[in-house]
Amino acid sequence: MSLLMPLARLDRAENAVHDGLLPLTLPEDGLDWALADLPRSPDENAAVRDHMQDDPLHLLYPDRVVDRARFFVERFRGKVLYAVKANPSPAVLRLAWLGGVRAFDVASIREVRLVRAVLPRAVLYFMHPVKSRPAIREAYGLGVRAFAFDGPDELAKIMEETGGARDLSLFLRMSRDSGAAAYDLSGKFGAAPAQVPALLGAARPFAARLGLCFHLGSQCMDPLSYARALSEVAALIDRAGVPVDALDVGGGFPVTYPGMTPPPLEAYLDAISRTAEAVGLRDMPLLCEPGRALVAQAGSVLARVEMRRGRALYLNDGTYGSLFDAGQPAWPFPVTLKPSDGRAVLCDEEPFELFGPTCDSLDHMKGPFYLPSCVREGDLIRFAHLGAYGQAMQTRFNGFYSDTLVAVGP
Ligand SMILES: Cc1ncc(COP(=O)(O)O)c(C=O)c1O
């Protein structure tokens, strides 16, 4: 059965899928369906041989998306929203669906349109706290019923642009800095705790469902940050005296990068369940919005060495491409050498710094990246764990980019 239904059939009943009111239907030929618009190669060598030209090559390992999605769906005690921004490839969206994810956190109207086109039955949560009026209007018309806000202006905008709708799930985004995340996301959005009671009170009369949400920052290294946030939110809800129907703990679940080894994901999900019980939120419907942790390990990029100058390598991918995080936050992604001629690598590793292809001096990844000392022009370097915020981040600056994504595997 095809999951691609005409948009006209979208109505509120579609949103009931995730709430267990309608059966989940997986297509029998799941992988073929998910990967319909991607080239496929049985292994990496075949992908390079058949698809790598002058630009970097993006690789997707489909089973890893399905596995991670299943893990979250089975282990998180609530609803799992995939944060589309981490990797909006249609194949990834469908793979997450195959893994049981039925709800998606979208940040822009383009993401709304994309998910609607790829997965018409998906439930969409428009969780960006500052949206344009046309975006709200169009999203509502496309069946989106869940919206985030972090102040009275955005709340008013949502109500006006949906025509005073009575069927909305309104999520108040609170500001919350875990202090334990590689990327702090608290500086820009989120109501201060002191404003929360008044904002909950203001939204309650308009909300069919009123929720609170927060984001502890991306790559959050401490499961107890979620526990602490839940305790504080429970106290805040008590103080506010306004009934709250749902709590969204955001994304932020980490993956392992060199030098950053977080506790296992189970520790995060357990901390959330245990704390919810302990602080009186046992019956509170929970949601989470993993991006990175769901897809990071499902992708890598192969970049070519265009020039070697001592311990500096000039590549055809960089910080304006899919290696943004290797630049300013200077994450040392796991790298391995793939010699161009298949020669045996019989040399020791040395630290290298890397430069991307654009003319900008910011296109620099200081690393250090440990690579065999005999690396040379023409060799490929594989950057792993780039399924999240990799290809999704690339620009077209200076004409350097790659749209080639190949699914690798049987
Ligand atoms: C609202 C929201 N939800 C979810 C995510 C995904 O976060 P992560 O990739 O850290 O899981 C982000 C990331 O910026 C976000 O802003």
Side-chain angles (χ1 to χ4, degrees):
M1 153 187 166
S2 168
L3 293 171
L4 303 177
M5 291 184 188
L7 270 182
R9 286 194 53 197
L10 249 188
D11 58 26
R12 291 206 64 211
E14 304 293 351
N15 281 1
V17 171
H18 189 75
D19 298 316
L21 303 175
L22 295 177
L24 301 181
T25 319
L26 291 188
E28 281 157 28
D29 50 356
L31 268 192
D32 290 343
W33 166 74
L35 303 177
D37 48 13
L38 282 192
R40 292 168 73 171
S41 290
D43 55 46
E44 188 179 283
N45 287 338
V48 171
R49 186 191 62 226
D50 297 338
H51 301 288
M52 188 151 192
Q53 295 178 349
D54 209 24
D55 296 318
L57 185 67
H58 300 282
L59 303 176
L60 175 69
Y61 313 107
D63 48 328
R64 297 188 194 172
V65 181
V66 179
D67 280 358
R68 272 287 109 161
R70 272 201 188 123
F71 171 85
F72 269 101
V73 168
E74 282 166 11
R75 296 295 300 269
F76 180 70
R77 142 200 188 309
K79 188 180 288 193
V80 178
L81 282 53
Y82 168 53
V84 172
K85 59 179 75 69
N87 187 330
S89 155
V92 168
L93 301 178
R94 291 192 200 102
L95 290 165
W97 181 277
L98 282 184
V101 172
R102 295 291 177 271
F104 294 79
D105 154 36
V106 284
S108 66
I109 193 62
R110 286 195 182 86
E111 287 188 356
V112 171
R113 292 180 197 139
L114 171 72
V115 183
R116 269 289 166 257
V118 174
L119 299 168
R121 297 177 69 179
V123 185
L124 300 184
Y125 287 68
F126 205 162
M127 299 307 269
H128 195 301
V130 182
K131 297 167 284 298
S132 78
R133 286 178 179 273
I136 296 168
R137 215 165 35 238
E138 183 179 339
Y140 188 73
L142 287 172
V144 178
R145 294 294 177 265
F147 294 88
F149 69 103
D150 66 356
D153 299 351
E154 183 73 7
L155 177 60
K157 244 200 269 178
I158 294 167
M159 295 319 300
E160 284 162 24
E161 297 307 322
T162 58
R166 311 304 295 178
D167 56 357
L168 298 181
S169 294
L170 296 173
F171 282 84
L172 172 59
R173 168 88 171 252
M174 303 170 42
S175 145
R176 178 89 206 154
D177 175 14
S178 67
Y183 267 109
D184 173 24
L185 294 177
S186 68
K188 190 164 164 190
F189 301 126
Q195 302 169 318
V196 166
L199 284 168
L200 286 176
R204 183 70 268 184
F206 304 111
R209 201 164 65 124
L210 182 60
L212 266 173
C213 60
F214 56 80
H215 197 299
L216 296 176
S218 203
Q219 185 73 4
C220 178
M221 299 297 283
D222 183 5
L224 290 181
S225 300
Y226 289 84
R228 281 192 287 272
L230 282 174
S231 306
E232 285 174 29
V233 167
L236 203 53
I237 292 175
D238 249 14
R239 267 209 310 282
V242 178
V244 170
D245 309 312
L247 177 57
D248 180 343
V249 301
F253 303 97
V255 299
T256 299
Y257 299 100
M260 280 191 273
T261 307
L265 278 180
E266 285 87 345
Y268 288 76
L269 304 189
D270 289 350
I272 291 169
S273 312
R274 268 204 314 272
T275 312
E277 295 268 330
V279 300
L281 297 176
R282 190 179 25 191
D283 299 325
M284 173 71 73
L286 295 183
L287 302 89
C288 68
E289 305 172 8
R292 182 184 304 282
L294 214 142
V295 293
Q297 279 141 317
S300 59
V301 64
L302 292 171
R304 184 182 289 105
V305 178
E306 305 293 12
M307 167 155 320
R308 174 172 180 175
R309 284 191 183 140
R311 296 275 188 80
L313 303 176
Y314 289 70
L315 308 182
N316 64 349
D317 200 358
T319 63
Y320 291 91
S322 54
L323 298 172
F324 179 88
D325 282 330
Q328 200 60 319
W331 285 12
F333 286 95
V335 285
T336 35
L337 182 68
K338 195 171 166 55
S340 51
D341 51 3
R343 67 187 187 279
V345 177
L346 300 170
C347 50
D348 291 335
E349 289 193 340
E350 285 180 355
F352 286 88
E353 65 176 330
L354 307 176
F355 290 94
T358 72
C359 58
D360 194 325
S361 305
L362 285 179
D363 202 356
H364 174 219
M365 299 154 278
K366 71 175 177 352
F369 294 92
Y370 285 86
L371 286 160
S373 57
C374 47
V375 55
R376 63 190 194 211
E377 184 206 332
D379 287 345
L380 301 181
I381 296 176
R382 180 193 307 100
F383 293 81
H385 298 181
L386 263 177
Y389 307 111
Q391 195 177 13
M393 303 279 280
Q394 78 173 350
T395 71
R396 309 213 149 203
F397 185 43
N398 274 207
F400 294 106
Y401 60 89
S402 167
D403 289 334
T404 313
L405 174 66
V406 179
V408 175

